[in-house]
Amino acid sequence: MLTSLDPLQSSVDEQLEAARSLMRLCYEECIAAVAAGAIPLMVALLSAGTTAGVQENVYMALAVLAYENPDHQRRLAAAGAIPPLVELLSTNTPASVQEQAAGALVNLNYQNPDNRRETEAAGALPLMVALLSAGTTAGAIPALVELLSTSTPASVQEQAAEAIGCLNHENPDNQRETVAAGVIPLTVALLSTGTTACVQAAACRFVTVLAYGNPNHQRELSAAGAIAPLVELVSTNTPASVQQQAARAIGSLNYENPDNQRETVAAGAIPLMVALLSVGITAGVQETVCGALAQLAMRNKRKLAAAGAIPALLELLSPNTPACVQFQAARAIASLNNENPDNKLETVAACALPLMVALLSAGTTTGVQENVCWILVKLADGNTYHQRKLAAAGAIPSLVELLSTSTQATVLESAAIAIGLLNYGNPDNKRETVAAGAIPLMVGLLSAGNTVVCAIPPLVDLLSTSTPAIVQEEAARALGWLNEANPDSQRETVAAGAFPLMVALLSAGTAAGVQQNRQAAMAIAFLNDQNPDTQRETVAAGAIPLMVALLSAGTTAGVQEIVCRCLGVLANGNSDLQRRLAAAGAIPRLVELLSTSSPASVQGQALEALGCLNDQNPDNQRETVAAGAIPLMVAVLSAGTTAACVQESACRALAELAVRNPDHQRKISAAGAIPPLVELLSTSTPASVQEQAAGVIVLLNDQNPDNQRETIAAGAIPLMVALLSAGTTAGVQDIVCRYLVVLAEGNKYHQRKLAAAGAIPPLVELLSTSTPASVQLLAAGAIGSLSHENPDNQRETIAAGALPLMVALLSAGTTAGVQETVCRVLIALAVRNPDHQRKLAAEGALPLLVALLSSSTPSVQVMSARAIRSLTNESPDNQRATVAAGALPLLVDLLSADITASLQMEAAEALFTLAVNNPENTNELAEADAIPLLDALVSDVSTEPELKHLAYFLLHTMASLGGRSAFKLCRAQEEAEKEKARQAANDVAQEMIEEEERENASKEAKAKSKKGKKQRQKEKKKGKDQKGQTNNEEQPSQDQVSEVEDQDADAHLIQEQQQPAGFSAEGGGDAEEPGGSGSATATAANQQAAALTAPLGSVGSAANSAPNNAAAAAANVASTAVSASNALHAVSTEIPTAATTAAASTSTSMIKPAAAIASNTG
């Protein structure tokens, strides 16, 4: 019926009825109306000059048909609906028709750019603006602003606010005109409770548009009082549509605006918005509230967490929540966890990690995936516990899968960053990441789709100047981490040509280059870490002057911090680079950065760099002090004003200046360093700072009485003693023990002060086996220093239970250093103290000390021998126990020639202590074969006088006892004489062989000479006359005379060589011996003694007559020496005088001990 109607031929009533039918049909079923041909009919009715009633119904039908339906909008425009609608906006048309036409145009243009262009082309804008102002205002914006006044009907206000919002959306010019027209106070007035919900919602939308990203508008809206009514509109009594728009407006007002955030919180927004996160609230409201909370969380993390925001937000991550809500909830959670350890703990404790990991799967939207990745970034950043928890929840495989499945750049970026932070400092996560196949995927992302094997070359390529600054920055950062403690990567990075590019980044002068400076410096720092090759490359590339220049005041703190770190890496343990950096002017720049105006992070790195530059470098130390560093370093130590890490670095830097430099120690003390250093020893200070502060105090107090007094006056002793407790770290205990040693060594006053402060009991506790060996060593040393010549402290040490602990430390399971130090303590306790000697013996110290005589460490052997001497001195019981433990053979072994003189001395002194006035031990000493070794010490001219005296005295003691000792001594003498005789025979035989060889060579030379002379004489005779020859035949020739003379001389020489020693050529063997007219016994003794020298002549004769029998001659001498030695023993046991005479006629090496032994036996 509708399609058969001709508007031009129909009556008014028919047209009206048709229009009403069209309106009903469009309201009931739009698709059926279109199929029935409604669109051409509606357009015809608009343009046929129909009445206002007909037109009004047609406009209503057309508006319904076009509402949010792009297809119908397109069909209506194609049928020509827009021009007649625009014509009806003229002022000649009734108001109701104008209203409906305008509404129809709104629906036709909704999200339809083509229709908007056609509407504008048809001249709609001037007509609509004219309708707004009733002819009084020029322009749409002022007219719309006027319609926001309270005298305007609510429906008009609503539409005016919507129109203003659309006009201002992302249009700065319109925004400026709107604000200038006075829109802000009118809009704020519409937010009050007196207006309708629709008006409030429209006003909220306009506030959102005006405030987003515009700090000026944010301030003006806040100054006009917009925040308070917006917060009221968030309450649960407000319609959901208004809550949603109010929350969105709050988010825009608070975007990066701390002042508005504070005002919003003060207005009570947080509990209201957290309440809107609960179940039952519409998704739209929850979405906008989460967005607003994300903005507020930037500076109100604790308050939001206290209001219960974290559990409510985590609940919105469930699979049943719409994706738009999940997106904003994840964004808010990431913001709440940013640099907030408490919120991180609460998030992890809420058991939501599996829920978040599940949202990384392919089924969720990219926005949700991206924000969940950022949550993981915040949780994993610098927290190994959270790294483990996330890995256990399966985060690593899901993140790696995102690298392969996602095509969204922001998702790939956030996933890669999350993987990086999950792996930072976590070997287990690194292994899992590699096993999940992450490396090829990440390397592939570097190479724009090209297949590459290694990440380093494409990263180096990204450092080029054609790459965007942000990419250069991140490439430098990645290279830095790849090269950390990795020599292979360092070599490959250098080979890929990275150094010139990194050095170029150091000199980037633009604002964008700041981060490039920073990351390039960090990469260079990692490349140079303990790598001499890359350090040389750094110098060759000219990086040092550039880095020193970056320390100036014109660069950012972040760049200065990283450059300081790089300089510290370069200077660490490298004297050449220390000199180069100092020559480049690094030291004054670094000292300047110590001022209080520098951020703490910069101060800390500057101090670390100075410490590395000054390490074992006196020139740099002097320059640092001359630059005024000491007062600045001391200022950094002030408690409560500086970060703990900076104080720790300051302590290390001061330690480098103070070590082995009394002048610097005085200057540091004069600058007031000692009081703040002592304050840093308090229990509220971190252990690492305590350790470093105590270390500086030790250096300042070492052999410096003035500093010791000042340290004590500052209250250091009770603080140091408190640090010995079990609650502190081994490093702190180590340094405190060193301080106690320095303070107590040789100072009775300090010993008493330390003991009164309670130092001894905790030191004794540190001797337990559960304490690290280094601490045991120093604790034992401190006890030794406190107990040295101090009976009171010795008694307290023993009363504290030190003896069993120290004796236990002598066992084989402890280190040589601990054993040596414990021996020193035992010496201090036992010397001249019989009671302590008995107690130590009762604890089992003696067998363990004896066992230490076999130690492979000479210093332990020395101290154990000394300790044995201290424990056994004037203690017969301990002496017997020591000998029973097998000490004598071990001590005797330590007398041998291949032992150091100091160890020989200690062994001899221990033997003297054990043997003196103890016949039984003396005899045991003889049985232990000590006599030859003692005799060797006495005979050796290189033996120290004191050691020689001890050896002589031990021999004297053994001889004086007679019996076994004397017998052993004589037997030892016999063996010594035999050995000497054998050696003498060998020497004589060798000398005779050499003499014979010389004689034979001389004879051969003489024979050759004679033969030549004869030959020459024969040649002279030729040519003489016969008469001369006859005369020569009657008389001997001159040659014959010479030959006879030579033969006589040879015979005389042989005769001299055959004569025995002690005989003259004239006297033969009848020379008279001295003392020939004595008693028969003396004569016998003298004859026996003379036998020692008798064989020498026979050996010479035998050797002369038969040179090839030299070996036999040596054996003959040895045999004769044995007989002589036996005779000497027989005579010396009967007549002392004979022993003396015999000894005097033998080797001089035994003159002194033999004479002493003979006189004592007499």
Side-chain angles (χ1 to χ4, degrees):
M1 181 184 72
L2 291 174
T3 55
S4 61
L5 180 68
D6 182 359
L8 297 176
Q9 302 298 326
S10 302
S11 65
V12 174
D13 292 337
E14 288 175 337
Q15 291 173 343
L16 182 59
E17 183 59 31
R20 288 174 178 169
S21 297
L22 282 170
M23 185 185 67
R24 285 194 299 270
L25 184 60
C26 289
Y27 268 105
E28 293 171 1
E29 186 58 56
C30 289
I31 297 175
V34 173
I39 289 177
L41 180 58
M42 284 190 289
V43 174
L45 289 171
L46 289 176
S47 56
T50 52
T51 63
V54 174
Q55 292 173 338
E56 186 175 345
N57 282 286
V58 171
Y59 299 149
M60 292 172 64
L62 192 149
V64 171
L65 200 64
Y67 181 71
E68 294 186 359
N69 192 314
D71 181 56
H72 293 173
Q73 291 169 359
R74 201 165 44 250
R75 287 171 181 265
L76 286 163
I82 291 176
L85 285 170
V86 171
E87 287 182 11
L88 293 173
L89 296 178
S90 67
T91 54
N92 299 325
T93 308
S96 59
V97 176
Q98 289 176 327
E99 178 184 351
Q100 295 303 326
L105 283 171
V106 169
N107 288 352
L108 273 168
N109 285 281
Y110 182 72
Q111 295 183 353
N112 194 312
D114 294 332
N115 288 2
R116 291 174 185 171
R117 282 191 291 271
E118 186 176 353
T119 303
E120 183 181 357
L125 294 182
L127 295 172
M128 287 190 284
V129 171
L131 291 175
L132 291 174
S133 58
T136 60
T137 307
I141 290 176
L144 287 169
V145 170
E146 285 184 10
L147 294 176
L148 296 179
S149 66
T150 53
S151 61
T152 307
S155 58
V156 178
Q157 290 175 325
E158 176 189 354
Q159 295 303 322
E162 292 288 0
I164 291 172
C166 294
L167 283 166
N168 282 273
H169 183 63
E170 297 182 354
N171 193 314
D173 294 333
N174 287 358
Q175 290 176 7
R176 280 191 290 273
E177 184 178 353
T178 304
V179 172
V183 73
I184 288 179
L186 294 172
T187 304
V188 172
L190 294 179
L191 296 174
S192 63
T193 55
T195 54
T196 65
C198 294
V199 173
Q200 291 170 332
C204 289
R205 279 192 289 269
F206 173 64
V207 170
T208 300
V209 169
L210 200 62
Y212 186 74
N214 193 314
N216 291 329
H217 295 169
Q218 291 171 352
R219 282 193 296 273
E220 292 185 41
L221 285 163
S222 172
I227 291 176
L230 284 171
V231 170
E232 288 183 14
L233 292 177
V234 174
S235 67
T236 53
N237 299 326
T238 310
S241 60
V242 181
Q243 290 175 328
Q244 180 178 351
Q245 296 305 327
R248 184 171 285 131
I250 289 172
S252 293
L253 279 166
N254 285 284
Y255 181 70
E256 296 184 354
N257 192 311
D259 295 331
N260 287 2
Q261 290 171 11
R262 282 190 288 271
E263 186 176 350
T264 302
V265 172
I270 287 179
L272 293 174
M273 286 195 285
V274 171
L276 292 178
L277 298 176
S278 60
V279 179
I281 305 299
T282 64
V285 174
Q286 292 173 329
E287 176 189 359
T288 52
V289 167
C290 288
L293 292 179
Q295 292 301 322
L296 286 175
M298 296 174 67
R299 291 173 177 81
N300 298 280
K301 295 177 177 63
R302 286 195 296 273
K303 291 181 179 179
L304 284 165
I310 291 176
L313 287 167
L314 291 172
E315 189 72 25
L316 295 178
L317 296 180
S318 64
N320 301 326
T321 307
C324 60
V325 180
Q326 290 176 327
F327 172 81
Q328 293 295 347
R331 180 167 161 251
I333 292 169
S335 185
L336 278 166
N337 283 281
N338 186 33
E339 298 181 356
N340 192 296
D342 295 334
N343 288 1
K344 290 179 183 180
L345 286 173
E346 185 176 354
T347 302
V348 173
C351 302
L353 296 185
L355 193 62
M356 287 189 278
V357 171
L359 290 176
L360 296 174
S361 64
T364 52
T365 65
T366 56
V368 174
Q369 291 171 336
E370 178 185 352
N371 280 335
V372 169
C373 286
W374 286 119
I375 295 175
L376 302 188
V377 166
K378 305 305 180 186
L379 291 175
D381 189 9
N383 192 311
T384 54
Y385 171 72
H386 293 165
Q387 289 170 354
R388 287 195 299 271
K389 295 287 284 184
L390 286 165
I396 291 175
S398 298
L399 288 167
V400 172
E401 188 178 352
L402 275 182
L403 296 181
S404 62
T405 58
S406 180
T407 58
Q408 190 73 26
T410 55
V411 176
L412 292 171
E413 177 189 359
S414 58
I417 293 173
I419 290 172
L421 290 172
L422 275 166
N423 284 279
Y424 181 69
N426 194 312
D428 295 332
N429 286 4
K430 289 177 182 177
R431 284 189 287 271
E432 186 177 353
T433 302
V434 172
I439 290 179
L441 294 171
M442 289 191 285
V443 173
L445 293 175
L446 294 175
S447 54
N450 298 323
T451 302
V452 291
V453 178
C454 176
I456 289 175
L459 284 170
V460 172
D461 290 341
L462 293 176
L463 297 177
S464 66
T465 53
S466 60
T467 309
I470 183 65
V471 180
Q472 289 177 321
E473 174 194 344
E474 294 302 329
R477 186 202 301 267
L479 284 169
W481 293 120
L482 278 170
N483 285 288
E484 184 184 16
N486 191 322
D488 294 333
S489 293
Q490 291 167 358
R491 282 191 292 272
E492 189 164 354
T493 302
V494 173
F499 258 112
L501 297 171
M502 288 182 182
V503 172
L505 291 181
L506 285 178
S507 57
T510 62
V514 169
Q515 288 303 317
Q516 295 166 278
N517 295 152
R518 187 172 185 268
Q519 299 306 331
M522 185 185 77
I524 291 173
F526 284 137
L527 273 170
N528 283 279
D529 190 16
Q530 298 180 355
N531 192 320
D533 295 332
T534 56
Q535 289 172 356
R536 284 190 290 271
E537 287 278 348
T538 302
V539 174
I544 287 179
L546 293 172
M547 285 191 286
V548 172
L550 288 174
L551 295 176
S552 63
T555 52
T556 65
V559 173
Q560 291 171 336
E561 176 185 352
I562 294 298
V563 170
C564 288
R565 180 178 180 182
C566 186
L567 297 184
V569 169
L570 286 170
N572 188 22
N574 191 317
S575 57
D576 178 57
L577 287 179
Q578 288 172 353
R579 284 193 299 274
R580 289 178 181 271
L581 288 165
I587 291 176
R589 297 280 181 88
L590 289 168
V591 171
E592 286 177 11
L593 294 177
L594 300 182
S595 66
T596 53
S597 60
S598 298
S601 58
V602 177
Q603 287 179 325
Q605 291 300 331
L607 287 163
E608 291 291 341
L610 284 170
C612 294
L613 278 164
N614 289 310
D615 183 23
Q616 300 181 20
N617 193 313
D619 294 333
N620 286 2
Q621 291 172 8
R622 282 190 290 273
E623 185 177 354
T624 302
V625 173
I630 288 178
L632 294 172
M633 290 179 184
V634 172
V636 168
L637 294 175
S638 301
T641 61
T642 310
C645 60
V646 181
Q647 292 173 328
E648 182 179 350
S649 299
C651 290
R652 277 196 290 267
L654 285 171
E656 291 295 346
L657 294 176
V659 63
R660 294 185 296 276
N661 194 316
D663 180 53
H664 291 174
Q665 292 170 3
R666 284 191 295 273
K667 289 181 178 179
I668 292 170
S669 173
I674 289 177
L677 284 169
V678 171
E679 286 184 20
L680 291 177
L681 300 178
S682 66
T683 54
S684 61
T685 307
S688 59
V689 182
Q690 291 174 329
E691 180 178 349
Q692 297 302 326
V696 181
I697 290 173
V698 169
L699 291 171
L700 292 174
N701 281 267
D702 189 21
Q703 298 181 4
N704 193 314
D706 294 333
N707 286 356
Q708 290 175 5
R709 283 190 290 273
E710 185 177 353
T711 305
I712 293 172
I717 287 180
L719 292 172
M720 288 280 194
V721 171
L723 292 177
L724 291 173
S725 63
T728 52
T729 64
V732 173
Q733 294 169 337
D734 181 304
I735 296 296
V736 171
C737 289
R738 292 178 191 273
Y739 172 71
L740 300 186
V741 169
V742 167
L743 208 60
E745 192 68 40
N747 192 311
K748 297 294 180 60
Y749 173 72
H750 292 168
Q751 290 172 355
R752 287 195 297 274
K753 293 279 288 185
L754 289 166
I760 291 176
L763 284 171
V764 171
E765 288 184 15
L766 292 178
L767 298 177
S768 66
T769 53
S770 61
T771 306
S774 60
V775 180
Q776 289 177 328
L777 169 65
L778 290 162
I783 290 173
S785 296
L786 281 164
S787 300
H788 183 64
E789 297 182 355
N790 192 312
D792 294 333
N793 287 2
Q794 291 175 5
R795 282 190 291 273
E796 186 177 352
T797 300
I798 293 174
L803 294 188
L805 293 173
M806 284 193 286
V807 170
L809 291 177
L810 294 174
S811 63
T814 53
T815 65
V818 173
Q819 293 169 340
E820 179 183 349
T821 306
V822 170
C823 287
R824 292 180 186 275
V825 180
L826 298 187
I827 292 167
L829 292 174
V831 66
R832 293 188 297 277
N833 195 314
D835 181 51
H836 294 173
Q837 290 174 345
R838 283 193 299 274
K839 290 180 178 179
L840 285 166
E843 294 291 346
L846 290 171
L848 293 173
L849 289 170
V850 170
L852 290 181
L853 294 174
S854 303
S855 172
S856 59
T857 306
S859 59
V860 175
Q861 292 176 304
V862 167
M863 296 313 302
S864 61
R866 191 176 297 173
I868 287 172
R869 181 157 53 91
S870 296
L871 265 74
T872 58
N873 186 35
E874 299 182 0
S875 176
D877 293 336
N878 285 3
Q879 290 172 4
R880 281 191 294 273
T882 303
V883 173
L888 292 182
L890 296 174
L891 289 168
V892 168
D893 288 343
L894 296 180
L895 298 175
S896 61
D898 57 346
I899 302 298
T900 61
S902 60
L903 185 51
Q904 287 177 323
M905 187 69 190
E906 293 297 340
E909 288 183 341
L911 287 172
F912 176 80
T913 302
L914 291 169
V916 69
N917 299 326
N918 195 320
E920 184 179 353
N921 288 355
T922 303
N923 286 325
E924 291 287 341
L925 183 60
E927 293 292 338
D929 295 328
I931 294 171
L933 294 172
L934 292 169
D935 180 47
L937 290 174
V938 173
S939 305
D940 191 349
V941 294
S942 63
T943 304
E944 294 291 336
E946 189 176 355
L947 178 58
K948 183 176 289 190
H949 176 72
L950 277 171
Y952 168 76
F953 200 87
L954 284 168
L955 288 171
H956 173 80
T957 302
M958 286 187 283
S960 65
L961 290 175
R964 284 185 297 160
S965 297
F967 177 75
K968 282 279 184 179
L969 184 61
C970 290
R971 291 300 300 270
Q973 288 176 316
E974 291 171 14
E975 292 298 326
E977 293 304 330
K978 290 177 186 178
E979 179 62 29
K980 290 170 185 173
R982 281 192 292 270
Q983 185 62 40
N986 289 337
D987 292 343
V988 169
Q990 182 63 31
E991 183 179 351
M992 292 164 63
I993 292 171
E994 292 173 356
E995 182 63 29
E996 181 183 6
E997 290 176 351
R998 286 193 297 271
E999 289 176 0
N1000 290 337
S1002 176
K1003 288 177 181 179
E1004 290 178 3
K1006 287 180 180 180
K1008 289 180 180 179
S1009 176
K1010 289 178 180 180
K1011 186 176 180 180
K1013 186 186 293 185
K1014 288 178 181 181
Q1015 185 65 31
R1016 285 191 301 274
Q1017 289 174 351
K1018 287 177 181 180
E1019 291 176 355
K1020 288 180 181 180
K1021 290 177 182 180
K1022 289 180 181 181
K1024 289 184 177 183
D1025 55 10
Q1026 188 65 34
K1027 184 179 180 178
Q1029 293 177 354
T1030 304
N1031 293 334
N1032 290 335
E1033 289 175 357
E1034 294 176 355
Q1035 293 181 1
S1037 67
Q1038 185 64 34
D1039 292 337
Q1040 290 172 336
V1041 173
S1042 299
E1043 184 176 357
V1044 171
E1045 290 175 353
D1046 290 341
Q1047 290 174 353
D1048 291 342
D1050 291 340
H1052 182 72
L1053 177 63
I1054 292 171
Q1055 183 179 5
E1056 287 180 350
Q1057 290 175 340
Q1058 288 176 342
Q1059 289 176 354
F1063 288 78
S1064 66
E1066 292 78 9
D1070 298 328
E1072 185 180 1
E1073 294 181 339
S1077 60
S1079 64
T1081 307
T1083 302
N1086 291 337
Q1087 291 174 353
Q1088 292 286 352
L1092 288 171
T1093 57
L1096 296 176
S1098 60
V1099 171
S1101 176
N1104 187 42
S1105 61
N1108 294 328
N1109 292 332
N1116 185 22
V1117 170
S1119 176
T1120 308
V1122 170
S1123 301
S1125 179
N1126 290 336
L1128 172 65
H1129 176 63
V1131 174
S1132 64
T1133 54
E1134 294 178 6
I1135 303 174
T1137 307
T1140 305
T1141 306
S1145 65
T1146 60
S1147 171
T1148 57
S1149 66
M1150 287 293 290
I1151 289 175
K1152 193 169 184 178
I1157 294 167
S1159 63
N1160 280 283
T1161 53

